Amino acid sequence: MTEPNTGSAYELALVRAVLADEEPAIEEFSHRLECVPRILSAQNARFGRPLDEHDLADVVQDTIVIILQKLRLFRGEGPLEGWIFRICCLEYLNSVRRRRRRKPVVDVQELPVPDAQIAKEERQMQDRETLYKALERLDPIEADAVRMKHFEGLTFEQMAERTGVSANTMKTRYYRGLERLEGIVGKDEGTAQGT
Amino acid sequence: MTPDSNPAAEELLRALLVGDRRESDPELVALFAARPDLAARYRRMKGLVERLDSVGSLDREVLAQAKTLPGPEPGAMRAALDRARGRHRFRWWPLVALAALLVVGAVLVLRSRESQGPLPNSGSTLGSHEGKMKPVGVLRAPRYEEFSWDLPLPKGGHYALTFYADESKKAVLLRREDLRQPRWTPTSEERALLADKMTWEVEVFDAGGRPRPSACSASVSLVR
C-alpha cells in the first residue's frame, strides 16, 4: 500500500468531493479503498481463514457499501485508512458471526473460529470503539496527540516533526488529552456499570 | 478527575506519563506514598495508556500485515465502488416508491370498501338471508347509520328489530317494534345503546301479531 496524503483537511476535502460525485475524487477514493481487501484478508488470516475467497469477496463488497453509507460521518480524525480499518474489523466480525449462524455446528472441532476468540475480538472491538468515541469528544489537538502516540506509534519527536511544534508541546497536549480521556472513559464506564 | 493543585506534583505525574521519568524514581515513590489519591489517579491513567497501546498495537499489526498482502486487481476496487455507489444511491428509491404505492393502494381499497358498505366475506350472516340485511359483517364506519332489510311485509303487519350483545341472543341491547318500513335509523340515544360488535334480528309479524317464518338475523361489527 502506498502511503496516502493523510492530512485531516485533505481527507475531509476528498470525502466531501466523493459525496459530491466528483469524478477525480471518486477515482482517488477507489485507490484508497484498496486497503479494504488487504485489511479483511489480514483479519481472515488472524482468525485462521474461516472465510474462503468467495466469502471474503462478498465481505469486501458489503464493507464498501457500509463505508459509503457512513462516509458522511467521517470527521477527518486521522487518516481515512484508520477509519476504514474500524469498519473493516466490525464487518469482518459480523460476517464471521453470520457464517457461524448459517452453518450448523456438528462438532466443536469443526468450528472455524473458536467462541473464545470471537468473544476476545468482540471485547477488543468494543474497547476500540469506546476509546475512539471518547477521543472524538476531546479537543482535536489533544486527541490528535493521543492518536499519534498510541494508534500510529509515533515518538514525541516524530509527532513534533509532523505537526511543526516542539516535542515538549506535544507532551503537554498528550498529557492533557490523556487526563481528559481518562475522565470521559471513567465516567462513561462508571455509568455503564451503574446501569 | 481534577488536575492536582500542586504544580510540582502535577509536573512529576506528567513527566512519568510521557516517559521522562520512571515509576521507581525516588521522588515519585515518595509522592505516591504521601498522596494515595495521586497514586490512584496515576494507576487509572496508566490503565488507559495500556488500553490505548493494546488497541493501537493490534491495529498497527493488522495494518502492517495488510500492507504485505497482494492488492486487488487493477480497477477491481473502482468496479466494486461503482457497484456500491449504485446500490447506495438507488437502493432506497424503489423501496420508497413501493411503499408509496402500497399506501396509495391501501387508501384506495379502504375508500372503495367504505363506499360499498360492509367488506365482502368479512362477516357472518345467521340464517339463510345473506344479502337481505344491511349492514352485516365488518363495517368500516365511525358509527351505525341506517339498518335495512329486504323482507316482504304482510298487509297490516309490522317488523320487529332486536339488537343482541352476541350471537347467542341472550342479552338484548335494544328492541324496536311496530316498524312499517324495511329500514330503521337509530337516534343518537339509541345509537349509544348499540355495541361495536353485535347481532341484529328482524322479525316479521302479520296483521294479527303472529310471527312469520321469514325472520332473519346477522352479525355486524364496527371498525373505526
Side-chain angles (χ1 to χ4, degrees):
Chain A
M1 286 191 284
T2 52
E3 290 299 331
N5 184 343
T6 55
S8 285
Y10 180 85
E11 301 287 69
L12 266 179
L14 174 66
V15 164
R16 283 180 188 145
V18 171
L19 291 170
D21 281 344
E22 290 175 21
E23 178 50 36
I26 292 167
E27 183 60 27
E28 185 184 338
F29 187 63
S30 74
H31 290 296
R32 300 289 293 275
L33 286 177
E34 285 172 6
C35 65
V36 172
R38 287 178 162 133
I39 292 168
L40 291 170
S41 293
Q43 282 289 67
N44 201 35
R46 278 187 63 230
F47 275 69
R49 304 187 195 284
L51 304 185
D52 62 24
E53 273 185 33
H54 293 292
D55 287 337
L56 211 52
D58 288 344
V59 183
V60 168
Q61 187 65 54
D62 290 347
T63 305
I64 291 172
V65 171
I66 302 280
I67 287 169
L68 277 182
Q69 285 171 351
K70 292 189 173 179
L71 205 53
R72 286 180 194 284
L73 302 176
F74 179 71
R75 295 281 172 265
E77 327 86 346
L80 196 52
E81 281 72 8
W83 182 77
I84 289 173
F85 175 81
R86 287 164 62 195
I87 297 177
C88 286
C89 291
L90 189 65
E91 278 311 297
Y92 180 79
L93 201 56
N94 283 340
S95 64
V96 171
R97 281 200 208 105
R98 279 197 296 271
R99 190 173 185 275
R100 287 162 65 95
R101 280 197 295 269
R102 275 204 314 265
K103 199 172 180 179
V105 177
V106 179
D107 186 340
V108 176
Q109 297 293 322
E110 289 178 11
L111 277 176
V113 185
D115 284 330
Q117 189 179 353
I118 292 273
K120 185 182 166 198
E121 289 291 334
E122 279 175 345
R123 278 198 304 276
Q124 281 173 341
M125 199 168 64
Q126 204 171 0
D127 208 29
R128 180 189 293 119
E129 290 306 305
T130 300
L131 295 172
Y132 270 91
K133 282 181 180 157
L135 277 167
E136 286 170 12
R137 291 156 65 185
L138 289 189
D139 178 301
I141 286 177
E142 292 169 1
D144 272 347
V146 176
R147 283 193 198 99
M148 280 190 271
K149 175 80 179 142
H150 293 289
F151 298 162
E152 295 186 58
L154 302 184
T155 63
F156 287 110
E157 286 69 28
Q158 288 169 323
M159 289 156 70
E161 196 179 329
R162 183 190 283 186
T163 54
V165 298
S166 72
N168 200 41
T169 302
M170 287 312 300
K171 286 177 182 177
T172 302
R173 288 178 182 178
Y174 167 76
Y175 176 65
R176 282 190 194 141
L178 204 59
E179 204 175 29
R180 293 197 173 105
L181 193 65
E182 195 279 317
I184 292 168
V185 172
K187 194 176 170 187
D188 286 354
E189 291 179 342
T191 308
Q193 280 168 12
T195 52
Chain B
M1 171 209 66
T2 49
D4 196 82
S5 53
N6 180 344
E10 193 67 28
E11 185 53 37
L12 275 174
L13 192 58
R14 173 189 177 277
L16 179 59
L17 282 160
V18 300
D20 289 346
R21 294 260 193 165
R22 288 172 183 274
E23 270 183 60
S24 55
D25 190 312
E27 261 188 286
L28 279 158
V29 172
L31 177 67
F32 288 152
R35 294 279 308 275
D37 60 314
L38 211 58
R41 197 173 134 215
Y42 168 64
R43 280 196 298 275
R44 288 197 304 272
M45 289 175 81
K46 191 182 169 195
L48 179 64
V49 165
E50 284 166 358
R51 286 171 67 182
L52 286 162
D53 267 339
S54 166
V55 166
S57 61
L58 178 64
D59 291 2
R60 284 199 304 278
E61 183 190 317
V62 177
L63 280 168
Q65 192 186 349
K67 283 182 183 177
T68 65
L69 296 172
E73 296 287 316
M77 294 319 291
R78 178 59 201 244
L81 179 59
D82 287 343
R83 276 195 301 276
R85 288 176 71 224
R87 280 166 65 182
H88 177 58
R89 187 181 299 160
F90 299 115
R91 189 164 52 169
W92 293 106
W93 287 108
L95 291 175
V96 170
L98 184 64
L101 276 174
L102 286 173
V103 168
V104 169
V107 167
L108 288 174
V109 167
L110 282 178
R111 282 190 176 173
S112 106
R113 284 181 175 181
E114 273 174 21
S115 66
Q116 287 167 9
L119 298 171
N121 302 322
S122 55
S124 66
T125 304
L126 306 176
S128 58
H129 300 283
E130 192 163 355
K132 292 185 175 178
M133 300 172 73
K134 284 185 180 176
V136 296
V138 178
L139 184 66
R140 291 187 191 276
R143 60 183 193 175
Y144 294 115
E145 297 296 345
E146 186 183 78
F147 290 82
S148 63
W149 51 94
D150 181 15
L151 295 172
L153 185 67
K155 193 174 180 183
H158 70 273
Y159 298 108
L161 197 54
T162 312
F163 295 89
Y164 298 96
D166 54 37
E167 291 179 4
S168 67
K169 300 182 183 175
K170 284 180 183 166
V172 175
L173 298 170
L174 178 68
R175 183 172 170 85
R176 284 290 172 266
E177 297 185 20
D178 290 330
L179 300 172
R180 308 291 166 175
Q181 298 297 322
R183 70 188 68 86
W184 175 76
T185 302
T187 63
S188 54
E189 289 80 14
E190 288 168 330
R191 194 176 284 121
L193 297 171
L194 302 179
D196 280 358
K197 188 175 179 186
M198 60 186 185
T199 297
W200 63 292
E201 183 180 68
V202 181
E203 292 170 280
V204 184
F205 295 88
D206 63 17
R210 289 180 295 271
R212 307 282 293 176
S214 53
C216 63
S217 64
S219 293
V220 62
S221 55
L222 205 58
V223 177
R224 293 189 174 89

